[in-house]
Amino acid sequence: MNNWTYDEFKHCGVDYADPEQAEIYDSRHQKFRNDEQEFAGFLSRMPFEHHQELTLLDMGCGTGAAAIHASKHFRMIYAVDVSEAMLQQARRKAEREQRSNIEFIHSGFLSYEHRAEPVDIVSTKVALHHLPDFWKQIALMRMNAMLKMGGILYLHDVIFHFRPAEYQRKIDRFIAGFEAHAGKLFKAEVETHIRDEFSTFDWIMEGMMARAGFEVVSIHPSDGFVMEYFCRKAEEISIPYF
């Protein structure tokens, strides 16, 4: 890595490298998320048959919920995260469920070196927003290089899809909704996300994906904030990523 490369191992916003934060991550997020339901929706929209033959790279795997669900359907899962504390939680869960087809790797969007064959699917959920936009673009190009031609990039994240002039009202309503579902502590976490992390607008994200060689297949928005993108690798991008 060059001296000018963004340090993806330093935290922005909530510090998920903190073992205490990693330990309470699942219990907090289960107040407003259903991991099994989210994965079922993801799987139903996948444009592939014979899932058991496919490989998936999970970038920003966190405590491993999506990777563990995926391991029950796909041949091999590579699960990558910059937080060793989160990976420890994920490994324990995988061991409890006796999942042997997951490789957990302590690395990130800008540092992970994929030495195996290109994968069929790259999935990243609520993780890419930890990078500023310039480095999101680099991360997307690197993920392109790890995918087979025609492979799928799945992106699920906080991506603003409202008119910029509406930001005050939309963000206040978004935060209030989280407080109603998950309490004041999570309200503070969402405020930290908006203030200190790097979520961006949909038109910026879609431009970056196009420049990284991806074609958008389908978009599934909700509430002006959370977006799901299914994209197909349409072009090889020449970028060194080792």
Side-chain angles (χ1 to χ4, degrees):
M1 303 292 283
N2 297 297
N3 288 335
W4 46 261
T5 302
Y6 184 77
D7 181 4
E8 62 187 333
F9 290 89
K10 70 176 183 181
H11 74 272
C12 66
V14 178
D15 183 7
Y16 290 120
D18 180 350
E20 289 185 12
Q21 288 292 340
E23 192 165 336
I24 64 175
Y25 181 89
D26 287 338
S27 62
R28 266 196 194 173
H29 282 247
Q30 283 166 6
K31 292 180 180 178
F32 63 93
R33 293 178 64 183
N34 184 317
D35 293 322
E36 187 172 358
Q37 192 174 68
E38 285 182 12
F39 183 79
F42 157 80
L43 197 63
S44 71
R45 295 179 180 127
M46 271 290 123
F48 292 122
E49 297 180 357
H50 310 298
H51 294 151
Q52 68 276 10
E53 300 173 6
L54 303 180
T55 55
L56 180 146
L57 171 60
D58 185 4
M59 295 296 297
C61 69
T63 59
I68 290 168
H69 283 300
S71 72
K72 301 171 185 177
H73 298 269
F74 301 132
R75 177 169 60 85
M76 183 65 193
I77 311 299
Y78 304 94
V80 178
D81 203 277
V82 294
S83 168
E84 183 59 43
M86 297 287 267
L87 287 172
Q88 287 176 10
Q89 295 288 329
R91 291 186 187 104
R92 283 195 283 269
K93 285 159 55 173
E95 187 175 349
R96 282 197 302 270
E97 297 204 26
Q98 299 182 316
R99 308 312 305 168
S100 59
N101 60 333
I102 309 175
E103 181 180 349
F104 292 104
I105 303 129
H106 184 214
S107 195
F109 291 107
L110 306 177
S111 53
Y112 174 60
E113 300 178 0
H114 188 70
R115 301 294 189 181
E117 291 296 314
V119 297
D120 299 286
I121 303 161
V122 173
S123 173
T124 179
K125 295 184 66 175
V126 201
L128 191 59
H129 68 263
H130 288 285
L131 295 180
D133 281 359
F134 176 87
W135 295 105
K136 287 188 186 75
Q137 182 71 76
I138 305 305
L140 287 163
M141 293 191 296
R142 296 184 85 248
M143 287 186 281
N144 173 294
M146 300 174 197
L147 265 173
K148 295 177 181 176
M149 181 59 75
I152 293 295
L153 169 67
Y154 171 68
L155 171 62
H156 175 154
D157 213 328
V158 175
I159 298 168
F160 305 133
H161 47 287
F162 50 77
R163 292 189 300 112
E166 298 179 313
Y167 79 96
Q168 182 85 47
R169 178 174 60 85
K170 291 283 189 178
I171 290 172
D172 283 344
R173 183 182 297 175
F174 182 61
I175 292 170
F178 272 99
E179 182 179 17
H181 280 91
K184 290 188 180 297
L185 284 176
F186 206 84
K187 174 192 175 186
E189 187 169 322
V190 177
E191 289 172 334
T192 298
H193 177 121
I194 299 295
R195 184 184 63 245
D196 296 340
E197 300 178 19
F198 303 105
S199 287
T200 195
F201 282 104
D202 54 349
W203 45 273
I204 296 174
M205 182 61 73
E206 289 162 23
M208 289 193 288
M209 289 189 293
R211 286 164 176 77
F214 292 107
E215 173 186 74
V216 176
V217 176
S218 65
I219 305 173
H220 307 275
S222 65
D223 69 20
F225 287 82
V226 177
M227 297 279 277
E228 288 182 287
Y229 285 95
F230 287 80
C231 306
R232 181 177 289 110
K233 177 175 174 174
E235 178 186 353
E236 292 284 0
I237 297 296
S238 178
I239 178 172
Y241 66 93
F242 293 137

